[in-house]
Amino acid sequence: MGIVQRRVVIAALLFAMSATAAWRLAHPPLSPREESWLASGYRQVNIGRYGYAYARFRKVLSINASNDEARQMLDALKIYGYLLRKKPSPGTLARYEETRKRYPDSPYVAMIGGELKLAVGDADSAIRLHREAAEAKPDISHNWYGLGMAYRAAGQHEAALEALKRATSGEATVWHYLELGHQLFHARDFDAASRAFRQAYEKSPRFVDARIGELRS
């Protein structure tokens, strides 16, 4: 290897080392507590427990106020908080669009946007947003649930059934099994509906609807 070539290689190595050092400064490793709370927040989002998720992401920021992931998730979950209090207003929709512009590639912002659009009766937009989120993060159980509910609202019952089955293939909640039971009952698959209602009831015996659904099936 000639002198010029050696100099080029050395310069490339020095540049790579400098870039790596700069990236590490901009992205310091998470502390064990910060990483644990962040992972817990995502687990709660993935099964639709947004209130629990919000508290966990706030905990992350109390440990590290510059954690961009936690800040992004809180911005998205605030939209759902507005949705819980009352029917979505023009102001809530505007806040969502602002959040969407800030995080155009976030599957979580898309997922929550799907629920927001469904709440105002825009099933087509809800389907599009949930599909987008599902393509990016197919392991999110609650996203498949949202997609199933959007398909149901649009009258696409076969697609709704498939999406709700996906919702219960991962970490599912009582709501996921309950709505799968309703969809199976609609499809007149009464044995499968009874099993889904039974699973919902086992998840939460307080859900009388699950027990009634099982008896009807």
Side-chain angles (χ1 to χ4, degrees):
M1 181 183 295
I3 294 176
V4 174
Q5 289 176 312
R6 283 199 298 272
R7 286 177 177 173
V8 170
V9 170
I10 291 170
L13 288 172
L14 289 172
F15 177 80
M17 291 170 64
S18 175
T20 300
W23 189 91
R24 286 177 177 170
L25 285 173
H27 303 82
L30 303 180
S31 70
R33 287 181 65 239
E34 184 181 354
E35 190 168 12
S36 176
W37 281 111
L38 192 66
S40 179
Y42 280 120
R43 282 196 298 273
Q44 296 300 320
V45 169
N46 289 355
I47 56 175
R49 293 174 177 165
Y50 295 148
Y52 291 102
Y54 189 88
R56 283 156 174 75
F57 289 123
R58 286 196 64 176
K59 186 69 174 180
V60 173
L61 289 179
S62 74
I63 299 169
N64 177 9
S66 63
N67 188 298
D68 290 335
E69 281 189 79
R71 176 64 59 193
Q72 175 178 323
M73 291 306 301
L74 283 179
D75 285 348
L77 290 168
K78 283 176 185 175
I79 300 300
Y80 191 75
Y82 296 131
L83 177 59
L84 283 178
R85 286 198 288 271
K86 58 184 178 180
K87 185 175 180 178
S89 66
T92 300
L93 295 171
R95 289 186 188 97
Y96 170 72
E97 295 303 333
E98 291 169 4
T99 305
R100 177 76 167 159
K101 287 177 182 177
R102 285 200 302 275
Y103 311 112
D105 300 321
S106 169
Y108 295 100
V109 172
M111 179 175 73
I112 292 172
E115 298 194 30
L116 182 64
K117 295 295 186 181
L118 186 59
V120 296
D122 188 351
D124 290 339
S125 292
I127 290 169
R128 176 177 53 78
L129 286 165
H130 280 299
R131 273 180 178 166
E132 178 184 325
E135 288 174 1
K137 296 282 288 184
D139 56 327
I140 301 178
S141 298
H142 198 63
N143 183 60
W144 292 105
Y145 168 82
L147 182 58
M149 299 303 285
Y151 276 132
R152 179 187 292 176
Q156 301 181 42
H157 290 287
E158 289 185 10
L161 180 57
E162 292 306 310
L164 289 168
K165 284 180 179 178
R166 288 289 298 270
T168 59
S169 65
E171 188 176 0
T173 69
V174 58
W175 291 106
H176 300 162
Y177 283 113
L178 188 65
E179 294 303 337
L180 174 60
H182 288 311
Q183 201 63 45
L184 287 164
F185 192 90
H186 180 273
R188 305 185 67 80
D189 188 346
F190 301 124
D191 288 341
S194 180
R195 288 193 296 272
F197 285 127
R198 164 54 57 176
Q199 288 171 299
Y201 184 71
E202 289 174 352
K203 285 277 184 182
S204 180
R206 293 176 299 173
F207 267 66
V208 178
D209 285 354
R211 184 61 174 154
I212 292 173
E214 183 186 4
L215 294 172
R216 287 179 63 207
S217 301

